[in-house]
Amino acid sequence: MAARMPRSLGSVFTAHPARTVVMAFAAVIVVGTVLLSLPMASEGGASTRLVDALFTSTSAVCVTGLAVVDTGAHWSGFGEGVILALIQVGGFGIMTLASFLALLVSGRLRLRMQLTAAAETKSFGIGDVRKVLLGVAGTTLVVELAVGAMLSLRFRFGYGESVGEALHQGYFHAVSAFNNAGFGLRPDSVTRYADDPWVVLPLAAAVILGGLGFPVLLELLRHRHRRRTTGRRGWSLHTKLTVLTTVGLLITGTVLTCLLEWSNRATLGPFDWGDKLLLGFFHSAMTRTAGFNSVDIASMHSSTLLLTCMLMFIGGGSAGTAGGIKVTTFAVLAAGMVAEVRGEPNAAVLGRRLAPHVLRQALTVSLLGIGVVMSATLALLTMTKDSLEPVLFEVVSAFGTVGLSTGITGDLPTDGRLVLVALMFIGRLGPITLVSALALRERTRRYELPEERPVIG
């Protein structure tokens, strides 16, 4: 019998495109770490500690926003440029960017690139990868330019910033917002603009659009054209679930944040009712994994912090710049629970029956996410003297790639920072890799085992 020939490295990556995405993200993080470690990357001209450079690079590539040093004060113009580039690459998607560049240069894509780009962008087929890449690039460019222009004009004429500084501030925050990164150039994030709708609303809009996910954005943009040319009406189930769940969570987060913090003198208390609604909405939008804060997170009530943890864990839409277990996962689990309570044999939502394997995948992603959060929380509690509340908040923020913090990030020891580095990486790529792996492993069984019903509850 002939010996089995080992597969080449390329065939391994072609068979498992999600593995290529993971390796590409890791490689970019390493490059970012090296660049941020250079003396020219810091404001003082001294080399940044390797663990701090690694933490910042991971936070930028995984579009999280957690920081162990003051972004505006510590990093030089070169360092801020590196961070901005890492945010853009991480939010756009490494393999999506590589495929897009190859498409621009050669006008075509090899099969391996099409597979990896499809895995990262959740394209519905190899044939539409080209359209998806062009759509993602065009949407990113338009939103970031528009939001950057609005912010720059406000900083220039509303706050008296110079033209250069206004452009710097405006476009840095626009890129950070659309990519749900949450990096800001001020030590207090955007709290100085808390009651300024001309700043917080464009930021919130960019965050929400980026958090919907590129498949949803492209379908929304093309819906009118498709309806006119093909006569097809309505959105896909994925788009409906994403939009409806996102709107529901935004409203719920806004209402509960306002109710819980209405009289808190350290957060919403000093503002009038209109500004309180604006602040509540902005905080709810930021839990979509953005990371900007307009009030002091550490001063929030414990109930609000728990609410924020729940929203951060759910996250945003699939195949976008958001993290968390994703809103569609949450919606599918809710539909399964409702079906079980009603005693129905199949879960259904919006007039469509959900396949059993979709429910299993949603349950797997959620339970593994809970396991990762609990394990990391336990590990950090053994490494620090902080109480459970801020540690759990920090862990969920890292796993959900949010970037909100109660202020303990910079005080964590080296091993604690490495735990958060691993969490950010898992939170950004874990759901993509896990679901792709589950889909590839799906197979039919040629026999059925005897049925048994253990006692539940």
Side-chain angles (χ1 to χ4, degrees), residues 390-431:
V391 169
L392 177 61
F393 190 93
E394 202 81 7
V395 167
V396 176
S397 181
F399 172 77
T401 67
V402 182
L404 294 175
S405 176
T406 57
I408 69 171
T409 312
D411 298 326
L412 291 175
T414 299
D415 47 0
R417 297 181 184 190
L418 293 178
V419 169
L420 292 187
V421 166
L423 272 175
M424 290 186 287
F425 192 79
I426 292 172
R428 180 69 175 92
L429 297 172

Side-chain angles (χ1 to χ4, degrees), residues 205-288:
V207 166
I208 294 170
L209 289 174
L212 286 176
F214 290 119
V216 173
L217 282 178
L218 296 182
E219 183 170 350
L220 293 176
L221 292 173
R222 294 171 179 170
H223 172 64
R224 182 176 299 178
H225 173 73
R226 183 173 64 247
R227 181 176 178 178
R228 184 174 62 251
T229 56
T230 67
R232 180 180 174 185
R233 296 175 178 270
W235 300 336
S236 66
L237 179 61
H238 172 73
T239 297
K240 290 179 181 178
L241 278 179
T242 300
V243 172
L244 291 177
T245 309
T246 297
V247 171
L249 291 174
L250 281 172
I251 295 174
T252 302
T254 301
V255 172
L256 291 180
T257 299
C258 289
L259 289 176
L260 295 172
E261 295 293 320
W262 194 269
S263 302
N264 187 346
R265 298 295 302 175
T267 55
L268 305 189
F271 298 91
D272 59 39
W273 70 270
D275 289 336
K276 288 179 180 180
L277 291 177
L278 179 64
L279 291 169
F281 170 73
F282 186 78
H283 179 73
S284 180
M286 293 309 105
T287 60
R288 305 258 59 76

Side-chain angles (χ1 to χ4, degrees), residues 23 41 83 93 153 194 229 232 275 320 337 373 377 388 446 448:
M23 296 299 294
I83 292 173
L153 289 172
T229 56
R232 180 180 174 185
D275 289 336
M337 182 184 68
V373 168
T377 302
L388 173 62
R446 298 176 181 271
E448 290 291 337

Side-chain angles (χ1 to χ4, degrees), residues 9 57 60 78 80 85 96 102 119 138 160 220 246 269 288 292 295 301 344 430:
L9 183 62
S57 178
F78 173 79
E80 291 177 7
T96 306
L220 293 176
T246 297
R288 305 258 59 76
F292 294 111
V295 295
H301 294 312
E344 298 174 351

